[in-house]
Amino acid sequence: MSVPQHVAIIMDGNGRWAERRGQARTAGHRRGVEAVRAAVESAGELGVKYLTLFAFSSENWRRPQQEVNDLMGLLKFFIRRDLAELHRENIKIRVIGDKASLKADILSLLTEAEELTKANTAMQLIIAFNYGGRDEIARAARRLAARVSQGDLNAEDIREEDIGASLDTAGIPDPDLLIRTSGEQRISNFLLWQAAYAEFVFLPCLWPDFDRKAFEEALDIYQCRNRRFGKTASQGLALGT
Ligand code: IPE
Ligand code: IPE
Ligand code: MG
């Protein structure tokens, strides 16, 4: 059985989960944090090496101020409550997204999480926070342009690898499997560059209901896919090669 090395998840449906129960959207986000905890555990047990979770998009600032505040508060709650345990479990945390516009308290918690766990080796947990694929590519373009203007790089020599190495995900292999919960079938500006050859699995369950069984279901669907990377099916490309 071939387990995807890197699984990326668009954790969607917290609001609908709460609304269906006549509760405030925040209640759904709170349950969503518990589903995050369970997903990290399942990923480790199932042998996934990189787990990327879309926690807050660069477009989510457009939500009502109260909801934005709640989401910021929940990220802080999650790091404060679970960091020590994630570290004990030998998990390395990495944050992708635009850190420059985050408040100082959030930034320092995220930096602390990255620093504390930087030598860990069991699994990488990549948290996409204030993340947007287009924003990430634009920041990478600015970095490359700065190198060109400093005379450190020739514009004609810019290769795909240079772009990849200038993204927030530098050094992280591309996702093999991209899961989105809640039934929506769109990418919502997530990992635009990196998902070039990812397999997409859309699950109907809402994020707070995403459990070990749902994770296994997504992996089962992935096993049945035939990845070709531009070649023909008869060129013998099994999963994971
Ligand atoms: C996902 O759930 C959480 C974030 C985007 C932060 P939503 O809040 O988008 O839930 P729905 O899509 O409104 O149900
Ligand atoms: C994508 O979900 C962002 C996260 C899961 C953090 P959204 O709920 O914000 O996406 P849209 O707006 O429905 O496309
Ligand atoms: Mg949503």
Side-chain angles (χ1 to χ4, degrees):
M1 187 178 116
S2 148
V3 173
Q5 177 180 216
H6 183 173
V7 176
I9 310 183
I10 302 176
M11 311 185 287
D12 198 15
N14 293 348
R16 275 162 284 171
W17 185 93
E19 280 154 17
R20 279 180 199 172
R21 285 163 179 75
Q23 296 173 17
R25 292 176 58 85
T26 317
H29 294 314
R30 273 202 299 272
R31 289 295 290 257
V33 174
E34 304 316 317
V36 165
R37 196 66 201 86
V40 173
E41 205 176 302
S42 299
E45 288 166 6
L46 292 164
V48 170
K49 284 290 170 200
Y50 299 84
L51 177 69
T52 300
L53 299 177
F54 201 3
F56 190 88
S57 79
S58 45
E59 288 71 36
N60 286 145
W61 297 105
R62 297 173 187 159
R63 294 190 178 198
Q65 190 58 48
Q66 186 56 52
E67 181 162 344
V68 169
N69 293 346
D70 289 344
L71 288 165
M72 296 292 146
L74 278 169
L75 176 79
K76 289 192 266 185
F77 167 78
F78 170 70
I79 304 266
R80 287 192 185 118
R81 188 190 64 175
D82 290 343
L83 178 58
E85 199 183 332
L86 292 167
H87 183 45
R88 256 198 314 280
E89 288 165 9
N90 196 19
I91 293 170
K92 176 173 172 169
I93 296 174
R94 186 150 153 193
V95 180
I96 58 170
D98 184 13
K99 291 177 176 157
S101 49
L102 293 177
K103 283 206 176 128
D105 58 342
I106 295 220
L107 193 58
S108 75
L109 266 177
L110 294 176
T111 309
E112 182 194 334
E114 288 184 313
E115 275 300 309
L116 178 71
T117 63
K118 66 181 177 202
N120 290 348
T121 53
M123 186 179 83
Q124 278 206 38
L125 171 62
I126 299 135
I127 303 173
F129 198 81
N130 192 23
Y131 175 87
R134 287 183 170 182
D135 173 70
E136 180 192 36
I137 292 169
R139 285 186 287 109
R142 289 199 286 275
R143 272 183 215 133
L144 288 169
R147 285 178 55 196
V148 170
S149 65
Q150 283 155 17
D152 176 37
L153 180 70
N154 288 322
E156 310 76 54
D157 294 337
I158 297 176
R159 304 273 177 267
E160 290 184 12
E161 294 72 30
D162 299 305
I163 298 177
S166 306
L167 296 170
D168 298 344
T169 50
I172 298 171
D174 286 343
D176 304 290
L177 168 63
L178 196 150
I179 301 170
R180 182 171 189 148
T181 58
S182 92
E184 308 294 352
Q185 303 193 4
R186 55 175 172 267
I187 194 163
S188 299
N189 205 12
F190 189 43
L191 301 178
L192 296 181
W193 175 274
Q194 299 86 341
Y197 275 100
E199 293 295 327
F200 284 57
V201 171
F202 299 102
L203 297 177
C205 78
L206 302 173
W207 176 252
D209 295 325
F210 183 88
D211 55 9
R212 168 75 181 242
K213 201 165 148 276
F215 209 139
E216 286 178 7
E217 184 191 335
L219 295 192
D220 286 346
I221 297 170
Y222 173 83
Q223 314 291 341
C224 299
R225 299 278 174 87
N226 186 351
R227 302 183 80 188
R228 299 200 186 98
F229 301 98
K231 301 183 184 178
T232 67
S234 63
Q235 283 176 290
L237 269 168
L239 274 175
T241 60

